[in-house]
Amino acid sequence: MDLMTLLPNYYDQNETMKKLQEILSSESDKLDIQLSTVIAECFVNTASTMLSRYERIYGIEIDISKSKTFRRERIKAKIAGVGTTTKQMIQNVSASYSNGDVEVIEDNENSKFTIKFVGTLGVPDNLADLKLTIEEIKPAHLDVTYEYVYNTWENLKRITWGQAAAYTWNQIRTVRI
């Protein structure tokens, strides 16, 4: 911010005042940037250098080789997983990892539940990390299975063989048509 614009016009010709205001403007800009950075570090969604601190607080293994986005998602999932484990909590945590809708199907008679990924096709990219988180928050006596949704032949009726030729068989299972 140019602090000279805040002063009366009669300082416009004063070289000493111009230099002083230039120095002060530079310093106040630096402070503004530093303050914004500190505020950003206070929130998981915008933190970068403080992610390891959040991971320590929530007992998450620190792995700086993972992307910051992934680490943020893991921290947010851990925060959501604090407290009594409920069907809704498992659903919320699973949805945060898969970036799509998830159904949790309870099978109380067999002491298990199924996490079905209905909002995304195929296996979510970070399934291994979701499994770790679910194991941390689910009751020990319950077993968990994972169910995935793929395209069926019924879904593929909308495209021609010529259009389908642009995809591999693995891609066609998970492409949104």
Side-chain angles (χ1 to χ4, degrees):
M1 172 182 216
D2 183 11
L3 295 178
M4 277 302 288
T5 60
L6 302 176
L7 293 177
N9 292 341
Y10 51 84
Y11 285 113
D12 288 348
Q13 304 306 318
N14 187 326
E15 293 302 317
T16 305
M17 187 57 76
K18 284 182 184 179
K19 185 65 179 169
L20 176 62
Q21 295 306 315
E22 180 183 322
I23 293 168
L24 291 174
S25 294
S26 172
E27 291 301 312
S28 68
D29 289 345
K30 289 177 191 173
L31 287 173
D32 186 44
I33 291 169
Q34 290 172 348
L35 178 62
S36 296
T37 303
V38 168
I39 291 171
E41 295 297 322
C42 291
F43 301 96
V44 174
N45 285 336
T46 53
S48 59
T49 58
M50 297 293 282
L51 286 175
S52 58
R53 181 169 188 246
Y54 287 108
E55 289 166 330
R56 269 195 307 279
I57 289 170
Y58 290 103
I60 299 170
E61 185 178 331
I62 299 169
D63 185 358
I64 59 172
S65 66
K66 302 277 187 182
S67 71
K68 289 179 182 176
T69 303
F70 167 78
R71 292 172 68 196
R72 285 185 192 108
E73 290 301 319
R74 175 113 188 203
I75 293 165
K76 290 190 294 188
K78 188 72 170 186
I79 291 169
V82 173
T84 304
T85 304
T86 63
K87 178 181 176 179
Q88 186 64 47
M89 177 196 296
I90 291 172
Q91 190 170 346
N92 293 343
V93 169
S94 301
S96 75
Y97 275 90
S98 70
N99 295 322
D101 292 334
V102 173
E103 287 180 13
V104 176
I105 304 159
E106 295 176 283
D107 184 1
N108 295 326
E109 292 177 11
N110 296 314
S111 297
K112 68 178 191 175
F113 63 94
T114 302
I115 297 174
K116 183 176 181 180
F117 300 96
V118 294
T120 56
L121 293 174
V123 179
D125 293 335
N126 50 2
L127 181 64
D129 299 308
L130 170 62
K131 286 181 175 181
L132 283 172
T133 303
I134 293 297
E135 285 299 319
E136 289 174 1
I137 65 172
K138 76 172 182 65
H141 71 283
L142 293 180
D143 192 25
V144 60
T145 56
Y146 299 89
E147 197 172 300
Y148 316 103
V149 177
Y150 292 98
N151 280 324
T152 62
W153 287 111
E154 187 66 30
N155 296 6
L156 297 175
K157 285 182 179 179
R158 297 182 212 144
I159 64 172
T160 65
W161 280 107
Q163 292 169 323
Y167 302 104
T168 66
W169 282 109
N170 282 333
Q171 289 172 329
I172 215 140
R173 294 171 65 196
T174 59
V175 70
R176 287 273 177 207
I177 298 171

